[in-house]
Amino acid sequence: MGRQKLSTLTRRFARDRRGHVAMIFALSSVGLIGVTGLAVDYARGSQAKSSLFFAADAAALAGARLVGTEAEREEAAKQVFEANLSQSENDLTKISMKPENIVKDGRNYGFRVTASADIPTTMSRILGFQELGVSTLAEAIGVLTTPTEVVLALDTTFSMTGWKVATLKDAATKLIDDLKPLALDPDKLKFGIVPFGQYVNIGVSNRNQPWMNVPPDSSTTTTSCAMQQKVIGNTNCKQVWVPPQPAKPPGTCYNDGVPFTCGGSAAKAGYFENKCDAVYGPPTQVCKTTTATLKWNGCAGSRNYPLDTQDGSYGTRIPGLMNINCGTEILDLTTDATLAKARIQALTPNGETYIPGGLIWAWRMLSPQAPLSNAATRTSANPVRKFLILMTDGLNTKSPNYPTHNGSNGAISNQLVKEICKNISKDTANAITIYSVAFDVSDVPTKDLLKTCALDTGGQFFDAKNAADFLAAFSKIGMNIGELRLTK
């Protein structure tokens, strides 16, 4: 074989060899591109799946938080689900979302969301994968696993008479009914009730407590005599003209700050009246016996400022006020929900508004130290949660003139509320969260006061303009206290 022929054969072999390599490379490239495509699409899928998971979680929480009908909760969950997906960058298609209300013992207990979607593939299609499917299940329920104490400081003044106190009873009772089933351990959930008006009724059973200063009930009988002359006849009688009297327009009176029409009289025509001089008999001694009684009905007054804004220094005792009626007695923290609801149903409007009294006693109830001692001490081993719900339907109409609250300077009382709230926010040992509710309140300073009081402790303020708002506010508070959490 000549050199030229050998060269030709060599070139042909080289050409054949290059074609074989190209074929192998082409075949292997399909697999390589497919594997790479799977990796790329998997990364896209992970991001899209995270968006679906986040939207489902948010929807479940939204449905569980909403106070309303099953349909309203489902609609809220749908809106939140769609809003979260629209705000995220994802390639999801064929999105399906199923909302489901969870009911336990006839009440809203939680919310469940099932969601699924497809992710169209790109480079993975070379291997025959047109889309990737993703799905998720999110469930949010309220379960109380941490020891929890809830004290309700409730305005039960005269202005709450009628539909307002009826609404209050419904809302507070439902709050207890909503929270009680969530406690896995019934002993870990306590309720306390502090009705307040001009004063707080702490109960006559506390009379002899070392932190109270109450004199004993007593009666004093006295007899007084005076010389009197009885009328035995008349003389010099004659007709006297009484001129007509014009009408007197009615005025405005106030009942716990609520104005109402009072007084006034109709016009009177003139008339003749028979007038005589009295004829008196001889003087005789007339004696009268009277009995003065001092009785304590459980009403507590205030210690002098600044002790009336502080929970401490009970060596200076709390004064008990004699011969005063002050409404329904408080109920110290208890695990007995039936007893708490019974006390709520017994609420009776009484007196005018002095918010500092109700607020300071609610704080005392949540504190493990004297004067009340049913509250638990917060420790790392026992991280008890403490909540104070303060509601009122109006501004302060009374102010202190120690130890009573007979003044009428609402500005002073507002300042006391502000100081008590500030001191509660500084009470890190008890870490109390305040939820405040203004019920049909038009006074802006009072609403601002309640709002600041709640926000300073990490709580929330509710401006309830009517019965529906009020019921919704208490339900939302119950949701917040109920430790709403994702379980799936």
Side-chain angles (χ1 to χ4, degrees):
M1 183 182 293
R3 182 179 295 179
Q4 185 177 0
K5 192 174 184 178
L6 180 60
S7 177
T8 300
L9 290 173
T10 302
R11 284 195 299 270
R12 287 179 181 175
F13 178 78
R15 284 197 299 268
D16 291 344
R17 185 171 181 271
R18 283 197 301 269
H20 182 66
V21 170
M23 183 177 64
I24 294 174
F25 178 75
L27 292 173
S28 62
S29 293
V30 173
L32 182 61
I33 293 172
V35 172
T36 304
L38 281 174
V40 172
D41 288 334
Y42 180 81
R44 290 175 52 247
S46 295
Q47 180 179 354
K49 190 173 184 179
S50 295
S51 299
L52 187 70
F53 283 11
F54 181 82
D57 287 348
L61 288 169
R65 285 195 182 100
L66 181 68
V67 178
T69 64
E70 180 176 345
E72 289 171 338
R73 285 157 68 94
E74 289 180 356
E75 181 60 28
K78 288 179 180 178
Q79 290 181 5
V80 170
F81 181 81
E82 293 170 0
N84 276 278
L85 283 185
S86 66
Q87 294 170 7
S88 64
E89 295 183 3
N90 62 75
D91 300 317
L92 296 172
T93 63
K94 300 180 183 178
I95 300 171
S96 173
M97 180 268 202
K98 179 185 176 182
E100 182 182 357
N101 194 41
I102 302 174
V103 177
K104 182 178 180 180
D105 297 329
R107 290 183 292 275
N108 290 333
Y109 177 71
F111 204 84
R112 182 182 298 115
V113 170
T114 305
S116 64
D118 287 341
I119 306 168
T121 60
T122 54
M123 299 174 69
S124 301
R125 294 187 178 186
I126 196 171
L127 296 180
F129 297 102
Q130 300 299 313
E131 56 193 18
L132 299 175
V134 292
S135 63
T136 184
L137 170 64
E139 189 174 274
I141 62 172
V143 178
L144 286 170
T145 56
T146 306
T148 302
E149 297 172 351
V150 182
V151 171
L152 291 80
L154 306 176
D155 182 338
T156 54
T157 52
F158 282 133
S159 58
M160 288 289 293
T161 301
W163 68 274
K164 284 188 176 181
V165 74
T167 303
L168 170 60
K169 290 178 181 180
D170 288 345
T173 299
K174 186 177 184 302
L175 175 73
I176 294 175
D177 283 338
D178 285 347
L179 288 177
K180 189 62 179 175
L182 304 183
L184 300 180
D185 182 351
D187 292 334
K188 289 187 176 181
L189 177 61
K190 295 180 181 179
F191 297 100
I193 313 295
V194 180
F196 70 89
Q198 189 168 344
Y199 300 101
V200 172
N201 183 348
I202 66 167
V204 294
S205 61
N206 285 313
R207 159 177 250 132
N208 297 319
Q209 295 288 351
W211 38 266
M212 281 300 298
N213 181 18
V214 186
D217 292 349
S218 62
S219 295
T220 303
T221 301
T222 58
T223 301
S224 59
C225 299
M227 301 301 292
Q228 293 183 359
Q229 290 180 280
K230 294 183 178 180
V231 176
I232 59 175
N234 296 304
T235 186
N236 298 327
C237 295
K238 54 186 176 181
Q239 292 288 308
V240 178
W241 172 251
V242 179
Q245 297 180 8
K248 182 179 179 182
T252 300
C253 297
Y254 292 87
N255 186 353
D256 187 32
V258 178
F260 64 94
T261 301
C262 63
S265 61
K268 293 182 180 180
Y271 61 95
F272 283 98
E273 183 179 59
N274 192 39
K275 292 283 186 178
C276 302
D277 294 331
V279 178
Y280 294 93
T284 57
Q285 180 173 283
V286 177
C287 296
K288 183 179 180 181
T289 300
T290 59
T291 299
T293 300
L294 289 176
K295 183 179 180 181
W296 189 56
N297 298 310
C299 306
S302 290
R303 300 183 295 172
N304 289 343
Y305 180 83
L307 292 180
D308 60 334
T309 68
Q310 301 171 358
D311 176 33
S313 303
Y314 290 107
T316 302
R317 297 186 292 172
I318 300 167
L321 304 179
M322 310 300 286
N323 292 351
I324 292 177
N325 292 314
C326 50
T328 310
E329 182 181 337
I330 66 172
L331 176 67
D332 200 0
L333 285 166
T334 177
T335 58
D336 190 338
T338 301
L339 181 60
K341 291 191 292 183
R343 189 59 51 91
I344 289 169
Q345 292 303 315
L347 295 176
T348 304
N350 178 278
E352 297 201 36
T353 304
Y354 184 67
I355 300 173
L359 185 58
I360 191 72
W361 276 103
W363 182 13
R364 289 166 176 163
M365 191 172 285
L366 286 166
S367 173
Q369 66 174 349
L372 305 174
S373 56
N374 283 356
T377 301
R378 291 184 74 252
T379 63
S380 57
N382 185 35
V384 58
R385 304 157 68 233
K386 297 174 182 281
F387 298 94
L388 194 165
I389 302 173
L390 171 66
M391 66 75 47
T392 182
D393 77 327
L395 67 167
N396 282 302
T397 58
K398 289 298 180 181
S399 59
N401 44 8
Y402 304 100
T404 61
H405 310 149
N406 292 327
S408 56
N409 191 333
I412 292 177
S413 298
N414 285 352
Q415 182 59 35
L416 292 174
V417 171
K418 187 180 299 184
E419 291 188 36
I420 296 170
C421 288
K422 185 63 67 176
N423 289 338
I424 291 176
S425 70
K426 295 178 181 178
D427 182 11
T428 56
N430 289 307
I432 297 169
T433 300
I434 296 177
Y435 290 101
S436 58
V437 183
F439 188 12
D440 189 31
V441 176
S442 58
D443 184 65
V444 175
T446 297
K447 290 196 283 190
D448 289 343
L449 192 66
L450 294 174
K451 184 176 182 179
T452 301
C453 189
L455 296 182
D456 281 350
T457 63
Q460 190 173 354
F461 165 71
F462 297 88
D463 186 7
K465 296 179 173 59
N466 49 48
D469 287 350
F470 190 79
L471 291 166
F474 267 62
S475 291
K476 289 177 182 177
I477 291 170
M479 284 286 189
N480 291 339
I481 295 174
E483 289 188 318
L484 193 66
R485 65 183 65 187
L486 289 166
T487 57
K488 293 182 180 179

